[in-house]
Amino acid sequence: MIRRLGVLVLAAGLAAASPAEFTGPARVVDGDTFSIGAERVRLWGVDAPEGRQVCQDAKGQRYACGDAARDQLVGLIGGRIVRCEIRDRDPYGRAASRCQAGSTDLGGAMVRAGWAVDYAQFSRGAYASAEAEARRARRGLWAGRFETPSTWRADERQARPAPVAPPQAGCVIKGNINAQGRRIFHVPGQQDYAATRIDTARGERWFCSAAEARAVGWTAAAR
């Protein structure tokens, strides 16, 4: 009986030590971020363009590469159930995970298609060969010119103007217009709220409630 109990304890210990896994349908936010139920997921080891990032295509024309990367991830998942293994937690509390839809490693597939890069400081080169393949074939981002997402984020932080106070107390919902001209509102507590700056000269504005924003055609931000 004691021996059997020891085996059970050992098995329980091994199970506890194994990486946490979860599965479910995914709601995509951008090229490397989605949610499964209440869990926010960041694809481990890769970095895709940010939602507001703009790149140049093969003809030198500007395009919303963040949106293109998001659409690629949506297509790769294809409505299938996603299975994730948590590797870490990022500073935003997201589960940095290696995820699959069927037999497709989503991070590797994004890099191989050219819509994400190997995030070497975290992946330790796990997707370096996939990135080299995409670069040689000039797929996705590599067909034109782009800043790596990490460089783009750093530039955005440096260029960020001082916050502008809302014109009316309590009206703190930010109505932002993205690179594609879509009108999106951000409420306090959302991930991109602090980074969003309102430029009234561009038609951006503040709202006092989500209902007010929706009433004039603005949609809620995904994150």
Side-chain angles (χ1 to χ4, degrees):
M1 181 67 180
I2 293 175
R3 181 179 178 182
R4 183 180 176 187
L5 180 60
V7 170
L8 290 173
V9 169
L10 176 60
L14 290 173
S18 64
E21 293 187 0
F22 55 96
T23 63
R27 181 171 176 268
V28 175
V29 175
D30 59 28
D32 55 28
T33 311
F34 53 88
S35 59
I36 294 178
E39 187 73 82
R40 291 189 302 150
V41 183
R42 173 71 157 79
L43 285 177
W44 173 86
V46 309
D47 203 11
E50 297 296 323
R52 294 181 293 112
Q53 189 168 345
V54 176
C55 305
Q56 290 184 7
D57 63 17
K59 296 181 180 180
Q61 300 297 311
R62 288 161 58 86
Y63 72 102
C65 51
D67 289 347
R70 179 201 62 214
D71 293 346
Q72 176 71 18
L73 182 56
V74 169
L76 284 171
I77 293 172
R80 294 178 291 178
I81 293 297
V82 175
R83 183 176 74 256
C84 293
E85 176 188 291
I86 299 178
R87 295 295 187 86
D88 202 354
R89 290 277 174 183
D90 74 4
Y92 302 102
R94 296 174 298 185
S97 308
R98 199 158 191 169
C99 301
Q100 290 183 294
S103 60
T104 302
D105 176 352
L106 295 175
M110 285 294 292
V111 175
R112 193 167 290 105
W115 291 111
V117 297
D118 175 44
Y119 210 171
Q121 69 184 90
F122 299 107
S123 74
R124 297 181 182 177
Y127 297 116
S129 61
E131 180 180 304
E133 177 186 328
R135 187 182 308 189
R136 285 194 301 269
R138 300 190 65 79
R139 296 178 192 141
L141 299 167
W142 302 104
R145 300 180 63 184
F146 70 99
E147 280 188 304
T148 60
S150 59
T151 300
W152 187 89
R153 290 191 296 268
D155 290 346
E156 280 287 292
R157 285 193 293 269
Q158 291 180 356
R160 190 176 297 164
V164 177
Q168 183 177 340
C171 297
V172 295
I173 295 176
K174 298 178 178 181
N176 169 248
I177 301 174
N178 71 7
Q180 287 189 318
R182 293 190 307 189
R183 288 169 163 76
I184 301 170
F185 67 85
H186 303 260
V187 302
Q190 287 188 297
Q191 183 178 326
D192 288 340
Y193 181 85
T196 300
R197 295 295 182 268
I198 298 305
D199 182 355
T200 55
R202 295 182 60 238
E204 296 177 332
R205 55 180 291 189
W206 297 87
F207 293 103
C208 300
S209 69
E212 177 191 356
R214 290 192 177 96
V216 290
W218 297 64
T219 57
R223 64 178 187 177

